[in-house]
Amino acid sequence: MSSIVLGLMRIAKMSDGEIQRLFGAAREAGVNVVDHADIYGGEYHLCEKRFGEAIVLSAAEREAISIQSKVGIRPGYFDFSKEHILATVDKSLAALKTDYLDLLLLHRPDTLVEPEEVAEAFNQLQAAGKVREFGVSNHTPGQIDLLKTAVTVPLSFNQVQLSITHAPLFAQGVAANMAGLDQSISRDNGLLDYSRINKMTLQAWSPFQKAFFDGVFLGDRENFADLNDALDELAEQYGVTPTGIAVAWITRHPANIQVVLGTTNPGRVADAAAGTDVTLTRQEWYRLFRAAGHTLP
């Protein structure tokens, strides 16, 4: 699987041609993973449907890419019931016009989860050839271990929010055991180390967001002047764009994290993908970390 994942949550109002150009640019840049969710598009399965209508794949082309989708978010509540998982996957497959998903993720933790129901759904989907691999999204180590009390198929992926400026995944561990520092508070219960130990692939969503859907840090010199200076300098040094360096910062980590893009601009996809060929030095990585405002004790 490529280090870049093409997120398709914003394609609902795009034409077939626009979707084809976006997908084509991603494939040309070496991207072979596309990301969906049943809720994307403002209407259930709408973005999946638009992709299925616009992108007609031969059998060989279908095998060459990985299609992943997510299940579990319903209006006003979360639902990991066996019935909902099975019904949703069938609707996703119909919308995408494919016989199987390469990866199915549980979308956000359902605190009312019954691990046995999830296990039954996953086993049934795998036995029927409808889903090849399974994972979660935004789950803590404890929530994953709870699922594993019943789920026997590997849980190989976890999609989490991560960018240079929104990096508690990295920043907490760097500043552990420092009283009075907000950065030292654990918000994911050691998820980074847990993922590496258990060989779970992390997927970073919102890789350019300042925090939670409040705009991008790229070009924001009012709030992140030092960071943008560093991004610009490294971009010139490596012959890529600042977008590429922001991607390189994530993919430089030895956890082998994938980057989920949300852009619908083919050029930005190419810019981001170019960053996966850049290997930042330790000094450069930590320079960006500090420039983003994180404390390095």
Side-chain angles (χ1 to χ4, degrees):
M1 299 174 71
S2 56
S3 296
I4 295 291
V5 176
L6 180 65
L8 296 171
M9 69 178 293
R10 295 184 175 91
I11 65 169
K13 296 182 180 180
M14 294 172 63
S15 68
D16 284 0
E18 289 170 332
I19 296 171
Q20 289 161 4
R21 285 189 288 276
L22 177 65
F23 180 71
R27 293 294 290 127
E28 186 175 346
V31 178
N32 61 9
V33 188
V34 296
D35 175 75
H36 288 279
D38 58 338
I39 63 167
Y40 290 165
E43 174 186 323
Y44 273 82
H45 304 284
L46 180 56
C47 284
E48 293 174 323
K49 180 181 179 183
R50 290 296 302 119
F51 181 81
E53 291 170 341
I55 307 298
V56 179
L57 299 168
S58 67
E61 290 168 335
R62 176 64 187 89
E63 283 295 325
I65 67 168
S66 292
I67 299 177
Q68 63 183 45
S69 194
K70 298 181 285 291
V71 59
I73 298 179
R74 304 188 75 170
Y77 66 107
F78 298 154
D79 187 353
F80 287 176
S81 66
K82 174 184 175 181
E83 178 183 43
H84 181 64
I85 293 172
L86 294 177
T88 300
V89 169
D90 282 342
K91 291 176 183 177
S92 290
L93 294 177
L96 290 163
K97 298 185 179 180
T98 185
D99 296 328
Y100 65 93
L101 294 175
D102 295 274
L103 174 62
L104 177 68
L105 302 178
L106 297 176
H107 204 175
R108 293 285 178 186
D110 175 12
T111 193
L112 302 181
V113 63
E114 297 285 356
E116 293 79 12
E117 284 202 38
V118 175
E120 289 176 12
F122 283 4
N123 289 341
Q124 189 169 323
L125 290 169
Q126 187 177 62
K130 293 181 179 180
V131 180
R132 292 185 171 181
E133 291 190 80
F134 300 87
V136 296
S137 179
N138 308 295
H139 278 56
T140 67
Q143 291 164 339
I144 296 167
D145 282 342
L146 175 62
L147 289 170
K148 287 182 177 179
T149 62
V151 173
T152 56
V153 298
L155 296 175
S156 303
F157 295 82
N158 191 1
Q159 195 172 111
V160 297
Q161 186 180 3
L162 174 65
S163 72
I164 301 176
T165 55
H166 183 279
L169 190 73
F170 299 155
Q172 185 277 324
V174 169
N177 199 35
M178 294 185 67
L181 182 66
D182 182 76
Q183 181 181 316
S184 69
I185 298 172
S186 177
R187 290 176 169 80
D188 58 28
N189 301 296
L191 180 61
L192 178 64
D193 297 334
Y194 176 91
S195 301
R196 296 181 71 180
I197 291 167
N198 289 278
K199 302 187 185 307
M200 290 188 73
T201 297
L202 293 169
Q203 296 183 337
W205 58 269
S206 286
F208 313 119
Q209 285 285 323
K210 287 181 281 192
F212 190 73
F213 294 116
D214 58 350
V216 300
F217 57 80
L218 293 166
D220 180 0
R221 295 192 171 276
E222 179 179 351
N223 297 296
F224 296 101
D226 290 345
L227 176 59
N228 277 280
D229 285 345
L231 288 168
D232 288 346
E233 289 178 24
L234 290 170
E236 183 175 0
Q237 176 182 324
Y238 283 102
V240 297
T241 64
T243 295
I245 296 299
V247 167
W249 187 82
I250 296 174
T251 58
R252 168 62 177 85
H253 198 280
N256 295 319
I257 300 168
Q258 293 177 298
V259 177
V260 183
L261 303 180
T263 183
T264 57
N265 185 315
R268 291 195 188 122
V269 173
D271 288 345
T276 64
D277 294 326
V278 173
T279 303
L280 298 172
T281 66
R282 270 184 164 81
Q283 292 91 336
E284 291 164 347
W285 192 93
Y286 278 107
R287 178 191 177 189
L288 292 169
F289 180 82
R290 288 183 286 108
H294 303 300
T295 296
L296 192 66

